[in-house]
Amino acid sequence: MPLSFREALNGAMSASGLSMRKLAEKAGVSYEQLKKINQGKTQSTNAEDALRIAAALGISLESFMAGEFEGTPTIAIAGKVGAGASVPVFDAYAKGDGPQVICPPGLSPSGVVAVEVEGDSMEPVYSAGDLLFYSRNGHDSVPSDVIGHRCVCEDEEGMGWVKQVKAGDEPGLFHLISLNPGANNIWNTRLKWAARVRLHWPSDLARRL
């Protein structure tokens, strides 16, 4: 039995992991119109909008109206981290409203966040535009097991970095080491938190939504 457009729309958002605004942008349809439908202020939309949404999801109009979605898991891109560039704290998007990337094979989307590299201080391992995936064990901690590893971290000034984290000269201080021999290191800085990079995806492999 075919669904109402409102039911199909909600099913599409759930299956794709996209917010209503992101789905509207991807499909090239009116966000305000979709919001009215979802709020029950109007019961239908034109067939062209439904077709555009189905096409944005990579399915037929018939599959969209039948609620037949592939349900590809996605991960939110929280923002950018500096690899030489100075980038403000990256948790800048409302939950679920940031850019999305298809979840890499073998990685669970639960509790995982992606960030985009900006700068070249981690060349040749990480390049600008690459995506890094990580999980935070605590909101304000630097676990001992991150020392010596490549990490996504936030310093006390609110800047986000991807660096190799090493113990500083005093307790509570850390050295942030660049892999690029021509780039600067950051010595004896305080960190709010650090999390090991779980997966690196070159920019040309990432499937963004």
Side-chain angles (χ1 to χ4, degrees):
M1 180 179 177
L3 304 177
S4 69
F5 181 82
R6 180 182 180 184
E7 290 171 332
L9 175 63
N10 284 318
M13 291 189 294
S14 177
S16 67
L18 295 173
S19 68
M20 187 182 300
R21 187 178 296 277
K22 286 297 178 182
L23 182 57
E25 291 175 359
K26 183 175 174 61
V29 302
S30 167
Y31 166 71
E32 294 300 326
Q33 173 70 1
L34 295 187
K35 186 167 69 171
K36 287 179 181 179
I37 293 171
N38 200 47
Q39 293 173 343
K41 294 180 179 179
T42 182
Q43 297 299 315
S44 63
T45 189
N46 60 59
E48 184 178 350
D49 281 358
L51 187 59
R52 286 176 180 270
I53 292 173
L57 296 171
I59 60 177
S60 67
L61 178 59
E62 291 76 14
S63 293
F64 172 72
M65 293 306 301
E68 297 172 352
F69 308 110
E70 294 182 5
T72 303
T74 63
I75 292 175
I77 301 175
K80 296 184 178 183
V81 287
S86 183
V87 180
V89 65
F90 37 79
D91 293 316
Y93 299 106
K95 186 175 180 181
D97 203 37
Q100 300 279 327
V101 62
I102 298 295
C103 182
L107 188 66
S108 169
S110 178
V112 176
V113 181
V115 285
E116 183 179 337
V117 176
E118 183 168 305
D120 62 2
S121 73
M122 297 299 280
E123 291 276 9
V125 179
Y126 303 147
S127 302
D130 288 358
L131 294 180
L132 306 178
F133 298 84
Y134 69 94
S135 298
R136 282 170 62 177
N137 295 324
H139 286 285
D140 295 293
S141 65
V142 183
S144 59
D145 64 357
V146 307
I147 303 301
H149 295 278
R150 295 188 290 270
C151 297
V152 174
C153 54
E154 180 186 348
D155 66 23
E156 63 179 355
E157 302 299 325
M159 295 295 175
W161 302 96
V162 53
K163 298 286 184 182
Q164 184 181 28
V165 176
K166 292 190 175 182
D169 296 333
E170 297 179 11
L173 299 181
F174 300 91
H175 300 322
L176 304 184
I177 308 301
S178 299
L179 300 183
N180 185 339
N184 294 327
N185 299 317
I186 301 173
W187 307 105
N188 291 313
T189 190
R190 295 187 183 278
L191 296 177
K192 292 182 179 180
W193 60 269
R196 289 175 62 174
V197 174
R198 294 183 57 184
L199 180 69
H200 162 225
W201 235 9
S203 59
D204 58 345
L205 295 182
R207 293 177 56 200
R208 301 178 188 231
L209 296 174

